[in-house]
Amino acid sequence: MHNPWFAQAIFLYFFPITIIEQIVSSESREQLEKWFYAVYGLDVYHSDWELEYFNSSFGTYQKEAQIRLETEGMITDRKSAIETIGELLNGKFRIPFQKLICEYKAKGYMELSLEKLAEKTKDKREIYDLIVAYKENGNGTIDAFDYCTAMRLVRESYYAGYITEREQLDQMLEIGKILQGAFDSWDELMESFCRGAEYDKKTPYAYEGWLTLYQCIRDQTDVYQIDWDLKLEKKW
């Protein structure tokens, strides 16, 4: 008869505890990296850059990362990288959005029926969408856009050589915990991100385009198969 305890003893004999711990730690770190990647995965697929770039290791695309960061956000060194990421974490998009909503509240738009609201915003479809979304989700309607964008910029700032690996991982872990505290699922997170993308682009129907892309990624790849409730803790 097979003896599981004997088999375990043999396994431990050939593989000391330290090695087993290293294997478990490596697997946990891999899961954590997948979770981080999923946070900005939609942004990755929406960009014109190769997926390989976003899954590379330090030094592989350093020059490309520097060019991307300078082109997108005027990030050219450590100081500007930290400042830009800090601006996002402090509400670069969500605070102006909340101020915009307050303006429309003062005008009485929140009390309008959907039909009346559509009439009032017939030349500003994105405003109609954002007001409707705000009625459903409140002040956190676009919060994910700041945090997901910050997560991606943290990764790229590491690729560019502007921050260290530990700084990158510590910051991503902090952002991840904020997101898990604010949202209950990948669907909720990406709903908020897509609304934020619409607010950022000021383009009608941008939300629908982003959301459709997310749903395709979710249903046709394994990016969002990682457990939303994965325990986020240091593995480095």
Side-chain angles (χ1 to χ4, degrees):
M1 180 181 294
H2 177 66
N3 187 333
W5 295 104
F6 177 75
Q8 184 179 31
I10 293 296
F11 179 80
L12 292 174
Y13 176 81
F14 287 105
F15 296 93
I17 293 296
T18 54
I19 295 178
I20 296 171
E21 289 175 341
Q22 289 174 4
I23 293 172
V24 172
S25 177
S26 177
E27 291 176 347
S28 299
R29 168 72 178 274
E30 183 180 346
Q31 291 294 101
L32 196 59
E33 291 278 8
K34 286 182 178 179
W35 198 96
F36 291 158
Y37 177 77
V39 169
Y40 58 90
L42 177 55
D43 213 358
V44 170
Y45 277 80
H46 190 268
S47 76
D48 295 327
W49 284 67
E50 295 291 333
L51 297 183
E52 181 184 344
Y53 165 78
F54 289 97
N55 288 284
S56 62
S57 56
F58 178 76
T60 308
Y61 289 102
Q62 186 168 358
K63 189 63 179 177
E64 288 83 352
Q66 292 171 352
I67 292 171
R68 268 182 58 85
L69 290 172
E70 182 173 7
T71 301
E72 178 183 352
M74 299 303 293
I75 296 174
T76 57
D77 53 20
R78 177 180 174 82
K79 182 174 181 292
S80 55
I82 292 174
E83 287 178 350
T84 302
I85 292 166
E87 287 173 2
L88 287 163
L89 296 179
N90 289 325
K92 180 178 180 179
F93 292 96
R94 62 187 182 275
I95 290 177
F97 169 76
Q98 289 166 10
K99 290 180 179 178
L100 177 68
I101 289 297
C102 284
E103 291 176 11
Y104 281 100
K105 277 184 178 180
K107 295 176 182 178
Y109 279 50
M110 296 299 162
E111 286 72 43
L112 296 175
S113 65
L114 292 181
E115 184 179 357
K116 289 291 185 182
L117 180 61
E119 285 180 23
K120 283 275 192 181
T121 59
K122 61 182 178 181
D123 297 322
K124 297 179 180 179
R125 171 56 193 264
E126 69 277 12
I127 296 299
Y128 171 86
D129 287 344
L130 290 170
I131 290 175
V132 171
Y134 178 83
K135 284 184 172 184
E136 295 177 358
N137 304 302
N139 286 335
T141 299
I142 72 162
D143 283 12
F145 190 73
D146 276 327
Y147 291 111
C148 294
T149 304
M151 182 82 90
R152 176 176 59 78
L153 291 183
V154 168
R155 176 70 89 191
E156 294 196 74
S157 293
Y158 166 64
Y159 285 164
Y162 299 150
I163 61 175
T164 67
E165 181 180 24
R166 180 172 289 278
E167 287 173 327
Q168 171 215 197
L169 293 171
D170 286 348
Q171 185 67 82
M172 294 175 95
L173 184 66
E174 181 182 335
I175 294 171
K177 289 181 176 180
I178 291 172
L179 293 176
Q180 281 190 333
F183 301 94
D184 293 328
S185 66
W186 290 116
D187 282 356
E188 270 194 23
L189 178 72
M190 289 301 132
E191 164 74 19
S192 177
F193 177 87
C194 293
R195 289 297 182 190
E198 180 173 49
Y199 171 72
D200 176 39
K201 305 302 179 185
K202 305 293 188 295
T203 305
Y205 305 106
Y207 163 77
E208 285 85 351
W210 280 93
L211 185 63
T212 298
L213 177 60
Y214 162 65
Q215 292 168 341
C216 288
I217 299 168
R218 181 195 62 195
D219 298 340
Q220 298 176 22
T221 76
D222 64 354
V223 172
Y224 293 101
Q225 296 306 306
I226 188 76
D227 183 10
W228 168 257
D229 294 314
L230 180 73
K231 187 174 182 180
L232 303 183
E233 56 185 357
K234 279 195 175 186
K235 299 296 180 181
W236 50 88

